[in-house]
Amino acid sequence: PILKVDKGLEPEKDGVQLMKPIPGLNDLLKRAKDLGVFGTKMRSVINMANAKGVKEIVDQQFEIGKQIIAAGLIPILEPEVNIKSPEKAEAEVLLKRYLLEHLNTLGPDDKVMLKLSLPSVDNFYKECIDHSNVVRVVALSGGYSRDEANVILARQNRMIASFSRALLEGLVYSMSDNDFDTSLNASIQSIFDASKT
């Protein structure tokens, strides 16, 4: 299991939204470890290509990530780049630079996962995927439709889906059990197929 540990986002500053403080994190991580939790997830958002803001996002993700590693869990670091940002590609350049800087400071046994927005340039995060400290790089759908997200994901080598919004697309409460299952199964299969490259 994966445990969401963040407490939401701060208001935007310097083009980004940092995570709010996470009180009691050490106690939470100890309980999670005792219960057999594999890792944690925590999300922050990058809206603009502001170097100061993007660096603060990555600094915060890794600072808390190291606390999670020390507790014996695998952190999923999720610095989401807003897909509607007019500076999305430029923000991704900054994000990758700071991710690699931090990854290169980790000890050989320190492992993280990265959950990133689908990139503007195909295979842009290859260096992160290949990094010895990275267990896996997964993609968030970030507001793309499922079809759009699948097309972009299929072009990314060794990046797999961690879609939520796109997974649930088209599912409604009024569906019969059979229609719901059929729709969900088709969604899962399409996302799985897009993840196989």
Side-chain angles (χ1 to χ4, degrees):
I2 303 293
L3 175 66
K4 180 182 184 293
V5 296
D6 71 78
K7 302 294 184 185
L9 300 171
E10 297 281 11
E12 183 175 336
K13 181 183 177 187
D14 296 322
V16 303
Q17 290 178 270
L18 294 166
M19 294 180 289
K20 291 179 178 176
I22 309 173
L25 180 59
N26 282 330
D27 290 341
L28 179 64
L29 295 174
K30 184 180 183 315
R31 289 201 329 268
K33 180 68 175 171
D34 291 345
L35 291 169
V37 170
F38 170 78
T40 63
K41 171 188 173 301
M42 51 188 180
R43 173 179 171 265
S44 46
V45 175
I46 299 167
N47 292 311
M48 301 299 286
N50 179 303
K52 179 177 183 287
V54 175
K55 184 176 186 304
E56 287 178 351
I57 285 272
V58 178
D59 288 349
Q60 183 188 48
Q61 286 274 341
F62 274 87
E63 178 185 354
I64 298 170
K66 287 177 180 177
Q67 191 176 348
I68 293 162
I69 291 168
L73 302 170
I74 303 289
I76 300 176
L77 311 181
E78 186 180 355
E80 176 179 351
V81 177
N82 184 340
I83 67 165
K84 294 181 171 58
S85 171
E87 300 176 349
K88 179 176 181 286
E90 297 89 343
E92 289 167 347
V93 170
L94 292 169
L95 175 60
K96 183 169 78 169
R97 179 200 310 164
Y98 296 129
L99 286 173
L100 290 169
E101 284 180 7
H102 274 280
L103 288 170
N104 289 333
T105 69
L106 296 177
D109 297 325
D110 295 341
K111 304 295 182 185
V112 301
M113 291 178 64
L114 301 176
K115 183 170 180 175
L116 305 174
S117 302
L118 289 161
S120 301
V121 174
D122 289 347
N123 296 306
F124 184 71
Y125 292 113
K126 182 182 186 306
E127 297 98 320
C128 296
I129 291 169
D130 291 341
H131 201 284
S132 60
N133 293 97
V134 176
V135 175
R136 182 70 79 170
V137 176
V138 300
L140 57 95
S141 54
Y144 288 114
S145 72
R146 182 169 56 246
D147 288 344
E148 283 180 295
N150 283 341
V151 166
I152 300 169
L153 178 61
R155 299 195 307 258
Q156 315 307 316
N157 296 325
R158 294 170 46 228
M159 190 179 202
I160 63 170
S162 178
F163 296 170
S164 50
R165 283 169 278 189
L167 174 67
L168 300 177
E169 182 181 306
L171 299 178
V172 292
Y173 178 76
S174 60
M175 284 178 151
S176 69
D177 287 352
N178 186 60
D179 287 348
F180 183 93
D181 290 346
T182 299
S183 180
L184 182 59
N185 286 338
S187 176
I188 291 169
Q189 186 64 51
S190 72
I191 294 167
F192 172 73
D193 290 342
S195 295
K196 291 195 296 186
T197 55

